[in-house]
């Protein structure tokens, strides 16, 4: 027993050292753009992949990735953070195209990649299907991190995030079914497959709703920021583990919980201060986990193995891009015709080229049973395709967005919002100085501070006026911001009544409905 305890202690210490090494390298990479301005042209997540590739080239292996590490440790917090921040109102407007991309898009991708590998690469049916299933889903970790860094438009980001969040569940179900075919645990029974899919998704949604609404109800009874923050962390991992144990999709469960807590629980069960604390916590956690994931993806590459499978990888990449194009353009046209989605051709082009693969694809490939002789070929092919999407597609998405005119004035809008926020904050300081009358404070000191604050307000007002003159469209944007503020105030007021027990449910903000009616009136 003593020897086992010593061995376990040494293993824990070794794992801790490896973790600190990975974290140190990741944070060092994070500071590079601040030290060397040229690196600011490369998105931070992709810079981590490149550094990881450099470490792999000199054969420095930080940590061996495993499917359990990716799916059980890294994925739940990243899925939850993305779902927490996505607005249900935006998601609901594009639910039909997102559902088409997430369900039928996965089927088209599997068929396209498998068909290309069979007819052009001469690989076996098993290998082709498993590679296709591993690469069938766009990865939420990769896509969301990149689109946020680039500052893509709101609707385009919602479409890409929504698809990436939901198609993982489909991909995992499809992979589980296909990996069972050569093992004799699955058969080509379409009715059984559909029943399994409905069950897996249904359990995920059911558990997600139960936990999401349960925590929303619970947090109405108290206002303890640290406790509520901890509850969201427990809910992310708890939902994933419980759903998987029940035979459902942990991905769908976590996404459902995150959407409910982000759009309902945070409104009716959390004060504005607590909501801010929780959001900042998840922003930090997403940055923390992303830093590790992308570095390790690059660090797992074995160049000799990739070189031995270059032909298969090239065919896979071509088939993957072609099948992605068929899925996006065909399903986009179908959605535009049936649901009047109005997804423009430039938006569809970015959705096609921006369909990155990442940690989820790698986790599925690594989970191929060792009993299958083609396992190493599958892993090498998937790693090669993932590397292409991250480095080639990932590094060219921003130029594509610029060329198609889809970045718009997002950086300017962000600067404008920051300037407005500073003006509002300092103006509140001015009001506080005006209303304060404390006997221990020298009146002259009050006058001095007031003069400083007025000077800052004047400078900020000059910045705002200059932005208005240079970018006239910002005036319309400022109207949108005001409506969002008014609607948020109204929703928070209803939430206070719910927490006080004076309302049984949260009312829909009437201001938002009125705004919609005004926008729909013919001129």
């Amino acid at each position: 027993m003593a020897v086992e305890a010593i061995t376990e202690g040494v293993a824990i210490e070794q794992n801790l050292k490896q973790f600190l090494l990975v974290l140190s390298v990741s944070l060092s990479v994070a500071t590079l753009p601040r030290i060397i301005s040229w690196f600011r042209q490369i998105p931070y997540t992709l810079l981590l992949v490149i550094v990881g590739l450099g470490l792999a080239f000199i054969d420095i292996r930080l940590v061996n990735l495993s499917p359990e590490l990716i799916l059980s440790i890294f994925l739940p917090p990243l899925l939850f953070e993305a779902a927490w921040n996505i607005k249900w109102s935006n998601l609901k407007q594009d639910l039909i195209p997102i559902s088409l991309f997430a369900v039928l898009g996965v089927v088209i991708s599997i068929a396209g990649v498998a068909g290309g590998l069979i007819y052009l690469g001469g690989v076996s049916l098993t290998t082709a299907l498993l590679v296709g299933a591993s690469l069938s889903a766009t990865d939420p970790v990769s896509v969301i991190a990149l689109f946020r860094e680039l500052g893509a438009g709101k609707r385009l980001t919602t479409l890409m995030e929504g698809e990436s969040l939901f198609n993982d569940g489909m991909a995992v179900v499809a992979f589980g079914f296909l990996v069972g075919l050569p093992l004799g645990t699955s058969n080509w029974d379409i009715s059984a497959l559909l029943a399994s899919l409905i069950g897996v998704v249904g359990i995920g949604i059911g558990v997600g709703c139960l936990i999401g609404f349960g925590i929303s109800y619970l947090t109405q009874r108290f206002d303890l920021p640290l406790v509520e923050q901890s509850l969201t962390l427990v809910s992310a991992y708890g939902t994933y583990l419980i759903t998987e144990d029940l035979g459902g999709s942990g991905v769908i469960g976590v996404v459902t919980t995150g959407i409910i807590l982000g759009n309902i629980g945070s409104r009716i069960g959390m004060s504005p201060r607590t909501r801010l604390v929780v959001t900042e916590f998840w922003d930090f956690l997403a940055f923390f986990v992303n830093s590790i994931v992308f570095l390790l993806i690059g660090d797992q590459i074995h160049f000799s193995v990739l070189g031995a499978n270059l032909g298969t990888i090239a065919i896979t990449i071509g088939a993957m891009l072609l099948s992605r194009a068929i899925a996006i353009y065909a399903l986009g046209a179908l959605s535009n015709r049936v649901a009047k989605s109005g997804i423009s051709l430039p938006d569809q082009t970015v959705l096609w080229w921006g369909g990155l693969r990442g940690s989820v694809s790698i986790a599925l490939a690594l989970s191929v049973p060792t009993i299958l002789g083609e396992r190493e070929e599958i892993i090498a092919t998937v790693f090669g395709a993932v590397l292409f999407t991250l480095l080639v597609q990932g590094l060219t998405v921003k130029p594509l967005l610029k060329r198609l005119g889809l970045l718009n004035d997002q950086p300017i809008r962000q600067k404008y919002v920051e300037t407005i926020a500073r003006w509002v904050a300092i103006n509140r300081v001015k009001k506080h100085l005006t209303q304060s009358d404390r006997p221990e404070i020298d009146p002259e000191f009050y006058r001095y501070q007031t003069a400083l604050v007025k000077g800052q307000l004047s400078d900020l007002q000059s910045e705002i006026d200059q932005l208005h003159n240079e970018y006239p469209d910002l005036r319309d944007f400022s109207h949108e911001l005001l409506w969002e503020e008014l609607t948020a105030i109204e929703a928070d007021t209803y939430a206070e009544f719910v927490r006080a027990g004076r309302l049984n449910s949260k009312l829909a903000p009437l201001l938002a409905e009125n705004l919609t009616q005004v926008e729909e009136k013919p001129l």
Side-chain angles (χ1 to χ4, degrees), residues 255-267:
V255 170
T256 303
T257 301
I259 291 175
I260 292 172
L261 288 177
N263 290 270
I264 299 175
S266 65
R267 294 291 178 183

Side-chain angles (χ1 to χ4, degrees), residues 35 110 118 129 156 161 188 272 293-294 322 381 416 490 502:
I35 299 172
I110 294 174
I118 291 171
L129 288 174
L156 185 58
E161 287 187 1
W188 290 105
V293 169
F294 283 95
L322 180 60
T381 305
Y416 180 71
E490 183 188 4
R502 298 164 67 182

